[in-house]
Amino acid sequence: MKARIIGTGSYLPERIMTNFDLEQMVDTSHDWIVARTGIKERRIAAEGECTSDMATIAAQRALDMAGIKAEDIDLIVMGTITGDYPWPATACIIQAKLGAQNAFAYDLSAACSGFLYALSAANDYLANGRGKRALVIGAETLSRIVDWTDRNTCVLFGDGAGAVVLEAQDGESGILSTHLHSDGNYLELLYQPGFGSRNPSSPEGVDARLPYLKMQGNEVFKVAVRSLTDVSKEALDANGFSSADVGLFIPHQANLRILEATAKRLELTEEQNFINVDKYGNTSGATIPIAMDEAFRQGLLKEGDLLLSAAFGGGFTWASALIRW
Ligand code: ACO
């Protein structure tokens, strides 16, 4: 019994913010952003539009593709660091919006690795025969935690949502393995200092910078390339495959240079390496399900293809999944 992806969906907000728009906001340039990150534009949620709104649309699109009704879902797992509220789980809000009344729902926090962590949790549940169908979601409204006066970070991120429907099936297709790692020693290289129990909001208010994402980009970069490479090799080795067997590699879309350096170390060709970071920037937990949906709808994923996916993010966390499509 394997958990197989039987539907994919995504949603990107309408508003496009280009690098030229950012030139008007901070001391940066289109050329610098493209040369250092490969990002040309990103999507920004409309006023009042939040993570559950985007995720519900993406999830409904995945359900429609799968031909499954929301009430047939047993489990909703959501990877996000920008839920609608600190609690309760945004997955529960999505459950209500979809009418998935027979499911239980929860969020998990693994930053940019959130979707693969969620996929792993749902896979374990279904592969153990505890349920038949799961909805796995990655969705973020990072524009609400980005410091729009900090050129080191604000040029990198965007908003969006992606989802897949998993079904437990017999046969060759499905998730072959997942591998998860974390190392909490790197906390302060990538985190959001405010609004938790360490730096709570208070009647006096918090330091104006605390609610925003903080990152030491070049330190993150080095560990990211190493970890993405290692966890991808781990997935291939565990299943007796080499990079030549991979039909498509979908890495977390953080930065073109990270993606190219990782693909080079893994000896993957340009054709194997799926890239859309130029259009959407880094949408954290949403990049991989958005990319899966785009790749599938573009005909880049066919039945029997081997899909390798890997992510790296705050925590630090990193993860991979090997999937027979
Ligand atoms: N425009 C112009 N100049 C800039 C900008 C900008 N937007 N941002 C930084 N600079 C400047 C810096 O101030 C610095 O100037 P200085 O030399 O005068 O001090 C110079 O550019 C070089 O800065 P670096 O940080 O060394 O540049 P680097 O080549 O490392 O690129 C970047 C920065 C793009 C952030 C890169 O390090 C990176 O992509 N890191 C990975 C980040 C990432 O992917 N994080 C997400 C992980 S996932 C998650 O969980 C959210």
Side-chain angles (χ1 to χ4, degrees), residues 35-284:
R36 298 292 180 115
T37 72
I39 299 166
K40 293 180 181 148
E41 55 190 46
R42 69 286 292 143
R43 300 299 180 94
I44 303 294
E47 208 182 318
E49 187 175 38
C50 61
T51 300
S52 72
D53 301 325
M54 297 189 290
T56 302
I57 298 171
Q60 189 58 60
R61 288 176 178 165
L63 289 169
D64 291 346
M65 184 195 278
I68 298 288
K69 292 198 195 75
E71 66 227 40
D72 296 329
I73 294 291
D74 301 311
L75 159 70
I76 302 174
V77 199
M78 161 116 172
T80 189
I81 50 167
T82 50
D84 291 14
Y85 307 101
W87 61 274
T90 300
C92 295
I93 301 170
I94 297 163
Q95 173 191 16
K97 286 184 177 177
L98 289 172
Q101 68 268 26
N102 298 315
F104 69 94
Y106 65 95
D107 293 354
L108 55 80
S109 172
C112 302
S113 309
F115 176 77
L116 290 186
Y117 267 58
L119 191 75
S120 181
N123 178 47
D124 290 347
Y125 192 79
L126 297 189
N128 282 328
R130 297 184 65 197
K132 178 83 176 140
R133 295 184 198 91
L135 193 52
V136 183
I137 304 172
E140 305 281 10
T141 319
L142 291 168
S143 61
R144 306 262 157 76
I145 62 161
V146 159
D147 180 353
W148 289 105
T149 66
D150 175 15
R151 70 176 183 173
N152 290 294
T153 54
C154 75
V155 303
L156 302 172
F157 298 101
D159 301 333
V164 302
V165 178
L166 289 182
E167 186 174 77
Q169 290 186 1
D170 291 322
E172 297 301 308
S173 291
I175 297 171
L176 303 182
S177 70
T178 58
H179 295 272
L180 312 182
H181 299 277
S182 64
D183 187 344
N185 290 306
Y186 290 101
L187 164 77
E188 289 185 5
L189 294 186
L190 184 55
Y191 76 129
Q192 183 183 341
F195 291 163
S197 57
R198 178 156 309 278
N199 298 304
S201 59
S202 66
E204 296 77 41
V206 291
D207 178 311
R209 299 263 77 82
L210 280 176
Y212 298 123
L213 176 156
K214 297 264 179 302
M215 181 176 71
Q216 291 178 38
N218 45 13
E219 295 303 317
V220 174
F221 193 105
K222 285 179 234 159
V223 190
V225 173
R226 194 171 64 231
S227 306
L228 285 167
T229 307
D230 289 350
V231 79
S232 299
K233 282 188 177 151
E234 187 180 10
L236 293 173
D237 290 348
N239 292 280
F241 291 116
S242 75
S243 46
D245 298 314
V246 173
L248 199 66
F249 179 48
I250 298 188
H252 166 51
Q253 307 283 310
N255 173 320
L256 184 61
R257 284 158 58 221
I258 293 181
L259 304 188
E260 288 180 343
T262 306
K264 195 171 166 205
R265 287 185 183 204
L266 290 169
E267 299 180 339
L268 291 164
T269 62
E270 256 180 56
E271 290 68 40
Q272 287 170 298
N273 196 13
F274 187 87
I275 289 171
N276 65 7
V277 70
D278 51 317
K279 294 188 292 181
Y280 308 132
N282 179 349
T283 57
S284 188

